[in-house]
């Protein structure tokens, strides 16, 4: 078996940014290869948008990104924005469907996007090293020597065997992503690699993730999906909020609104700070409107028990959680409620506070916050310490909200470094 290969560009990671970079670079005739630890291309990309692949958004703004240097990230995104991404995939045969600004392939399947990129790079003779783990690299002159471990089935022994290979490349692109949504068996240690190379980074932490709460009654609302507003408070100060369909679980809260604010909760928890989530169960009512409607429900339902009184207003499981949480007896009749009791219930509907103690973790996070700092990179995402080494996608310290914003960054960042590399090879520079 051949154990030494040579290419113009080697891309480590065949996710969204890695595949996009391979597609762009190979167009120019550069000899490219991708190294992927999985046995197929775009494994995580296939999971996005519940398999429907929301790959960008028509409503693209700097505020959609939550990292510290979002101005630098968005400057790169503006160079290759949502329209450019949509047009690029259209040329690859992927037409789009838009829902509330969210852009999906018209087929509504992530496989369409992965196949479009796969067929494109295969037609351009991009070498694929699948089941191949990146281990280390060293710089020798103008080249990188990259050490990998290729896992292949040994038919003679009927078991898997590992074979070391070395790949020589003029340009090395790290597009490994992070350990978000990856099972423990396939996890890699990006932080260890970055430490070994003395590349500064921000600690990887879950973002776009469900949150765990310390509340013994939350399990009563398990399985409920309902409109609500969540506000994250850190040491008593409001940090972030969002409104939408909140999902309740026995461990805590989930759903898009929770994902949108979760990165602030996990960052604060990592700093050992107190984190609470304030839930407004009735964001579509003012306090005055809520009191008026609850009072009317009580007046018209005098003979009903509390456990059934609000069934036409709030999901009964959710209401049971709210009432139990404020120590209200569900087995008393509405006729026994005082104005003070009604006010207490209304306050709980507007502000039920949950202490957040953890997130569901990396395995359940859609993305991770943190990564290589922009201070380590040039404007073209090239390492200042190792010329010819580039980073793109989620491994850079950029994280966006739900809605296709993280995939937009993956494509835009891949385009940015590809433009620089193509410019060098053609002699035109990066502009």
């Amino acid at each position: 078996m051949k154990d030494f290969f040579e290419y113009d560009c080697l891309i480590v990671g065949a996710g969204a940014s890695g595949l996009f970079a391979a597609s762009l670079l190979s167009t120019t005739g550069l000899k490219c290869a991708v190294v992927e630890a999985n046995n197929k291309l775009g494994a995580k990309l296939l999971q996005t948008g519940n398999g429907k692949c929301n790959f960008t958004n028509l409503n693209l703004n700097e505020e959609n990104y939550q990292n510290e240097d979002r101005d630098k990230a968005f400057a790169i995104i503006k160079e290759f924005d949502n329209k450019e991404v949509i047009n690029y995939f259209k040329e690859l045969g992927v037409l789009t469907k838009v829902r509330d600004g969210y852009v999906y392939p018209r087929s509504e399947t992530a496989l369409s996007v992965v196949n479009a990129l796969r067929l494109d790079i295969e037609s351009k003779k991009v070498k694929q090293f699948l089941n191949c783990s990146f281990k280390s690299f060293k710089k020798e002159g103008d080249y990188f020597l990259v050490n990998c471990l290729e896992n292949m089935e040994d038919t003679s022994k009927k078991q898997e065997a590992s074979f070391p290979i070395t790949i020589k490349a003029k340009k090395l692109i790290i597009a490994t992503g992070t350990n978000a949504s990856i099972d423990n068996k396939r996890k890699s240690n990006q932080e260890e690699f970055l430490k070994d190379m003395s590349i500064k980074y921000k600690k990887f932490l879950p973002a776009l993730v469900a949150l765990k709460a310390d509340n013994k009654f939350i399990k009563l609302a398990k399985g409920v999906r309902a409109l609500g507003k969540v506000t994250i408070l850190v040491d008593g100060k409001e940090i972030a909020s969002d409104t939408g369909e909140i999902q309740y679980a026995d461990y805590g809260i989930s759903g898009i609104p929770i994902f949108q604010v979760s990165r602030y909760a996990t960052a604060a928890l990592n700093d050992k700070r107190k984190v609470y989530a304030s839930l407004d169960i009735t964001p579509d009512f003012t306090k005055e409107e809520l009191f008026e409607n609850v009072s009317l429900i009580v007046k018209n339902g005098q003979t009903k028990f509390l456990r059934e009184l609000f069934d036409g207003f709030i999901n009964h499981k959710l209401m049971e959680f709210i009432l139990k949480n404020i120590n209200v007896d569900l087995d008393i009749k509405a006729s026994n409620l005082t104005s003070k009791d009604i006010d207490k219930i209304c306050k709980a509907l507007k502000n039920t506070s949950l202490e957040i103690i953890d997130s569901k973790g990396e395995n359940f996070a859609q993305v991770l916050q943190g990564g290589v700092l922009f201070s380590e990179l040039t404007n073209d995402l090239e390492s200042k310490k190792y010329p010819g080494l580039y980073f793109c996608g989620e491994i850079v310290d950029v994280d966006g909200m739900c809605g296709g914003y993280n995939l937009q960054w993956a494509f835009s960042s891949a385009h940015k470094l590809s433009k620089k590399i193509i410019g060098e090879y053609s002699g035109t520079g990066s502009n």
Side-chain angles (χ1 to χ4, degrees):
M1 174 181 290
K2 184 178 179 181
D3 59 4
F4 186 86
F5 303 85
E6 185 172 347
Y7 296 92
D8 294 318
C9 298
L10 177 64
I11 302 160
V12 180
S17 61
L19 289 175
F20 207 73
S23 176
L24 290 162
L25 290 166
S26 57
T27 301
T28 62
L30 291 170
K31 189 180 179 184
C32 300
V34 294
V35 168
E36 171 56 49
N38 284 291
N39 61 1
K40 59 185 175 182
L41 304 176
K44 282 175 67 174
L45 188 54
L46 290 169
Q47 302 172 26
T48 57
N50 292 321
K52 293 185 177 182
C53 196
N54 164 213
F55 64 87
T56 187
N57 200 298
L58 296 187
N59 304 311
L60 190 61
N61 300 291
E62 187 173 319
E63 291 71 28
N64 302 130
Y65 295 87
Q66 302 175 312
N67 49 290
E68 291 180 8
D69 290 323
R70 62 184 184 182
D71 56 331
K72 294 181 180 178
F74 201 68
I76 291 172
I77 288 168
K78 285 194 296 184
E79 288 187 28
F80 193 79
D81 62 12
N82 44 13
K83 295 182 183 66
E84 297 280 1
V85 168
I86 291 168
N87 286 336
Y88 194 89
F89 277 108
K90 186 176 182 180
E91 290 179 4
L92 295 181
V94 179
L95 303 185
T96 55
K97 175 180 287 188
V98 179
R99 188 181 298 116
D100 297 326
Y102 290 40
V103 180
Y104 300 84
R106 192 176 184 281
S107 63
E108 292 195 272
T109 170
L111 186 61
S112 298
V113 175
V114 174
N115 278 344
L117 291 170
R118 176 182 62 81
L119 292 170
D120 184 59
I121 68 171
E122 286 179 354
S123 70
K124 296 167 183 171
K125 309 302 181 186
V126 174
K127 171 66 176 177
Q128 300 174 29
F129 292 93
L130 301 179
N131 283 320
C132 190
S133 304
F134 166 76
K135 295 301 179 184
S136 63
F137 77 84
K138 62 180 179 178
K139 189 84 181 286
E140 287 193 357
D142 294 332
Y143 291 87
F144 293 92
L145 291 180
V146 182
N147 299 311
C148 301
L149 202 60
E150 193 169 22
N151 298 308
M152 301 180 68
E153 185 179 350
D154 187 338
T155 54
S156 63
K157 297 181 180 179
K158 295 184 179 180
Q159 63 184 24
E160 199 173 74
S162 298
F163 303 94
I165 62 172
T166 301
I167 303 173
K168 182 179 180 181
K170 295 177 183 176
K171 305 292 182 183
L172 177 60
I173 299 169
I174 305 298
T176 55
T178 67
N179 286 326
S181 300
I182 293 179
D183 63 63
N184 292 329
K185 291 181 180 179
R186 292 196 173 276
K187 281 190 175 182
S188 55
N189 197 328
Q190 289 90 346
E191 290 193 10
E192 184 177 319
F193 160 71
L194 295 173
K195 282 179 183 176
D196 289 345
M197 302 313 300
S198 298
I199 294 171
K200 294 178 182 178
Y201 66 94
K202 186 175 180 180
K203 183 177 180 180
F204 292 108
L205 294 169
L208 303 187
V209 68
L211 298 175
K212 294 182 178 181
D214 183 15
N215 186 290
K216 64 181 180 181
F217 297 117
I218 191 73
K219 61 185 178 182
L220 295 173
K222 179 181 177 181
V224 174
R225 296 174 178 237
L227 174 69
K229 178 182 179 181
V230 58
T231 301
I232 295 296
L233 297 96
V234 176
D235 295 336
K237 181 181 178 181
E238 292 187 7
I239 301 298
S241 65
D242 199 65
T243 302
E245 187 180 74
I246 296 174
Q247 299 175 24
Y248 297 84
D250 54 2
Y251 60 79
I253 46 179
S254 185
I256 289 179
I258 308 305
F259 289 173
Q260 304 291 42
V261 301
S262 61
R263 60 108 58 209
Y264 300 103
T266 57
L269 288 170
N270 183 66
D271 293 336
K272 310 298 182 185
R273 301 169 73 183
K274 277 285 185 181
V275 179
Y276 285 85
S278 169
L279 301 180
D280 180 352
I281 309 301
T282 56
D284 49 339
F285 286 88
T286 65
K287 291 179 181 179
E288 293 75 20
E289 289 171 340
L290 179 62
F291 186 83
E292 181 181 339
N293 279 278
V294 171
S295 298
L296 185 62
I297 290 170
V298 172
K299 180 182 176 181
N300 293 334
Q302 292 286 289
T303 60
K304 294 181 181 179
F305 291 100
L306 256 63
R307 66 172 62 257
E308 59 192 8
L309 179 64
F310 299 101
D311 282 4
F313 182 50
I314 304 286
N315 180 287
H316 72 280
K317 291 173 66 177
L318 181 55
M319 198 66 197
E320 184 177 0
F321 156 57
I322 297 297
L323 294 175
K324 285 273 191 180
N325 198 53
I326 56 174
N327 198 31
V328 171
D329 186 357
L330 275 72
D331 293 317
I332 63 171
K333 288 191 174 181
S335 57
N336 293 323
L337 289 178
T338 66
S339 180
K340 187 177 180 180
D341 292 328
I342 293 172
D343 186 59
K344 181 180 180 181
I345 291 170
C346 289
K347 285 180 178 178
L349 288 170
K350 277 293 176 188
N351 179 20
T352 290
S353 184
L354 301 175
E355 182 178 0
I356 302 302
I357 56 174
D358 203 353
S359 74
K360 283 281 282 180
E362 289 185 350
N363 291 25
F364 295 91
Q366 291 187 12
V367 298
L368 301 188
Q369 58 184 295
V372 178
L373 299 175
F374 276 103
S375 60
E376 290 287 299
L377 307 172
T378 68
N379 292 335
D380 298 301
L381 301 178
E382 184 175 13
S383 170
K384 294 177 180 178
K385 190 166 292 184
Y386 302 96
L389 172 66
Y390 295 82
F391 293 88
C392 63
E394 196 184 344
I395 198 168
V396 181
D397 181 25
V398 176
D399 62 290
M401 302 175 78
C402 289
Y405 301 110
N406 290 292
L407 283 179
Q408 175 67 53
W409 164 250
F411 302 137
S412 296
S413 58
H415 176 267
K416 183 64 174 176
L417 61 82
S418 297
K419 183 180 176 183
K420 168 70 182 315
I421 294 171
I422 292 169
E424 286 187 356
Y425 274 87
S426 64
T428 60
S430 60
N431 297 320

